[in-house]
mmCIF file of all heavy atoms in Angstrom:
data_model
loop_
_atom_site.group_PDB
_atom_site.id
_atom_site.type_symbol
_atom_site.label_atom_id
_atom_site.label_comp_id
_atom_site.label_asym_id
_atom_site.label_seq_id
_atom_site.Cartn_x
_atom_site.Cartn_y
_atom_site.Cartn_z
ATOM 1 N N GLN A 33 -14.705 -22.746 9.276
ATOM 2 C CA GLN A 33 -13.825 -23.805 8.772
ATOM 3 C C GLN A 33 -14.596 -24.799 7.844
ATOM 4 O O GLN A 33 -14.093 -25.486 7.044
ATOM 5 C CB GLN A 33 -13.712 -24.726 10.250
ATOM 6 C CG GLN A 33 -12.392 -25.454 10.236
ATOM 7 C CD GLN A 33 -12.015 -25.867 11.661
ATOM 8 O OE1 GLN A 33 -12.825 -25.796 12.587
ATOM 9 N NE2 GLN A 33 -10.763 -26.152 11.922
ATOM 10 N N GLU A 34 -15.865 -24.873 7.946
ATOM 11 C CA GLU A 34 -16.785 -25.699 7.152
ATOM 12 C C GLU A 34 -17.043 -25.130 5.745
ATOM 13 O O GLU A 34 -17.803 -25.641 5.020
ATOM 14 C CB GLU A 34 -18.078 -25.993 7.842
ATOM 15 C CG GLU A 34 -17.909 -26.853 9.101
ATOM 16 C CD GLU A 34 -17.480 -26.078 10.387
ATOM 17 O OE1 GLU A 34 -17.864 -24.897 10.404
ATOM 18 O OE2 GLU A 34 -16.921 -26.551 11.242
ATOM 19 N N GLY A 35 -16.546 -23.839 5.595
ATOM 20 C CA GLY A 35 -16.844 -23.191 4.294
ATOM 21 C C GLY A 35 -18.216 -22.473 4.248
ATOM 22 O O GLY A 35 -18.733 -22.390 3.196
ATOM 23 N N ILE A 36 -18.739 -22.164 5.463
ATOM 24 C CA ILE A 36 -20.011 -21.533 5.516
ATOM 25 C C ILE A 36 -19.707 -19.869 5.572
ATOM 26 O O ILE A 36 -18.877 -19.640 6.645
ATOM 27 C CB ILE A 36 -20.855 -22.057 6.656
ATOM 28 C CG1 ILE A 36 -21.282 -23.346 6.317
ATOM 29 C CG2 ILE A 36 -22.108 -21.102 6.974
ATOM 30 C CD1 ILE A 36 -21.890 -24.140 7.496
ATOM 31 N N ILE A 37 -20.318 -19.206 4.894
ATOM 32 C CA ILE A 37 -20.114 -17.611 4.964
ATOM 33 C C ILE A 37 -20.760 -17.190 6.328
ATOM 34 O O ILE A 37 -21.966 -17.394 6.590
ATOM 35 C CB ILE A 37 -20.726 -16.952 3.813
ATOM 36 C CG1 ILE A 37 -19.878 -17.289 2.519
ATOM 37 C CG2 ILE A 37 -20.590 -15.457 4.083
ATOM 38 C CD1 ILE A 37 -20.536 -16.741 1.295
ATOM 39 N N LEU A 38 -19.994 -16.532 7.159
ATOM 40 C CA LEU A 38 -20.334 -16.136 8.505
ATOM 41 C C LEU A 38 -20.762 -14.601 8.558
ATOM 42 O O LEU A 38 -21.512 -14.052 9.265
ATOM 43 C CB LEU A 38 -19.276 -16.379 9.502
ATOM 44 C CG LEU A 38 -18.977 -17.802 9.763
ATOM 45 C CD1 LEU A 38 -17.823 -17.964 10.743
ATOM 46 C CD2 LEU A 38 -20.071 -18.630 10.215
ATOM 47 N N GLY A 39 -19.966 -13.902 7.604
ATOM 48 C CA GLY A 39 -20.153 -12.417 7.629
ATOM 49 C C GLY A 39 -19.468 -11.765 6.450
ATOM 50 O O GLY A 39 -18.545 -12.219 5.853
ATOM 51 N N ILE A 40 -20.162 -10.753 5.979
ATOM 52 C CA ILE A 40 -19.692 -9.953 4.753
ATOM 53 C C ILE A 40 -19.617 -8.535 5.109
ATOM 54 O O ILE A 40 -20.512 -8.092 5.970
ATOM 55 C CB ILE A 40 -20.682 -10.208 3.505
ATOM 56 C CG1 ILE A 40 -20.711 -11.621 3.205
ATOM 57 C CG2 ILE A 40 -20.165 -9.436 2.447
ATOM 58 C CD1 ILE A 40 -21.740 -11.938 2.144
ATOM 59 N N GLY A 41 -18.637 -7.757 4.696
ATOM 60 C CA GLY A 41 -18.559 -6.317 5.121
ATOM 61 C C GLY A 41 -17.950 -5.485 4.049
ATOM 62 O O GLY A 41 -17.222 -6.072 3.270
ATOM 63 N N TYR A 42 -18.213 -4.270 4.146
ATOM 64 C CA TYR A 42 -17.480 -3.238 3.321
ATOM 65 C C TYR A 42 -17.214 -1.997 4.151
ATOM 66 O O TYR A 42 -17.847 -1.801 5.310
ATOM 67 C CB TYR A 42 -18.178 -2.869 2.006
ATOM 68 C CG TYR A 42 -19.576 -2.467 2.201
ATOM 69 C CD1 TYR A 42 -19.930 -1.102 2.371
ATOM 70 C CD2 TYR A 42 -20.581 -3.317 2.212
ATOM 71 C CE1 TYR A 42 -21.239 -0.634 2.458
ATOM 72 C CE2 TYR A 42 -21.980 -3.094 2.331
ATOM 73 C CZ TYR A 42 -22.264 -1.645 2.415
ATOM 74 O OH TYR A 42 -23.471 -1.134 2.775
ATOM 75 N N ASN A 43 -16.360 -1.081 3.730
ATOM 76 C CA ASN A 43 -16.079 0.114 4.443
ATOM 77 C C ASN A 43 -17.167 1.176 4.298
ATOM 78 O O ASN A 43 -17.641 1.395 3.232
ATOM 79 C CB ASN A 43 -14.743 0.713 4.031
ATOM 80 C CG ASN A 43 -14.535 0.873 2.572
ATOM 81 O OD1 ASN A 43 -15.029 0.112 1.780
ATOM 82 N ND2 ASN A 43 -13.894 2.025 2.096
ATOM 83 N N GLY A 44 -17.633 1.599 5.439
ATOM 84 C CA GLY A 44 -18.777 2.567 5.407
ATOM 85 C C GLY A 44 -18.835 3.229 6.825
ATOM 86 O O GLY A 44 -18.245 2.729 7.834
ATOM 87 N N PHE A 45 -19.764 4.172 6.980
ATOM 88 C CA PHE A 45 -19.940 4.858 8.157
ATOM 89 C C PHE A 45 -20.854 3.951 9.123
ATOM 90 O O PHE A 45 -21.660 3.182 8.550
ATOM 91 C CB PHE A 45 -20.587 6.161 8.028
ATOM 92 C CG PHE A 45 -19.688 7.138 7.318
ATOM 93 C CD1 PHE A 45 -20.224 7.868 6.270
ATOM 94 C CD2 PHE A 45 -18.325 7.234 7.604
ATOM 95 C CE1 PHE A 45 -19.304 8.775 5.566
ATOM 96 C CE2 PHE A 45 -17.475 8.034 6.972
ATOM 97 C CZ PHE A 45 -18.002 8.875 5.974
ATOM 98 N N PRO A 46 -20.838 4.112 10.363
ATOM 99 C CA PRO A 46 -21.529 3.169 11.276
ATOM 100 C C PRO A 46 -23.098 3.348 11.010
ATOM 101 O O PRO A 46 -23.432 4.410 10.520
ATOM 102 C CB PRO A 46 -21.195 3.606 12.631
ATOM 103 C CG PRO A 46 -19.967 4.466 12.616
ATOM 104 C CD PRO A 46 -19.931 4.983 11.191
ATOM 105 N N ARG A 47 -23.807 2.264 11.426
ATOM 106 C CA ARG A 47 -25.244 2.311 11.259
ATOM 107 C C ARG A 47 -25.888 3.595 11.905
ATOM 108 O O ARG A 47 -25.463 3.902 12.982
ATOM 109 C CB ARG A 47 -25.798 1.036 11.924
ATOM 110 C CG ARG A 47 -26.467 0.112 10.959
ATOM 111 C CD ARG A 47 -26.907 -1.080 11.725
ATOM 112 N NE ARG A 47 -25.957 -2.266 11.446
ATOM 113 C CZ ARG A 47 -25.454 -3.028 12.272
ATOM 114 N NH1 ARG A 47 -25.724 -2.868 13.616
ATOM 115 N NH2 ARG A 47 -24.719 -3.961 11.936
#
Side-chain angles (χ1 to χ4, degrees):
Q33 208 162 20
E34 294 81 25
I36 295 167
I37 295 172
L38 301 173
I40 299 175
Y42 56 88
N43 51 324
F45 296 134
R47 242 174 255 131

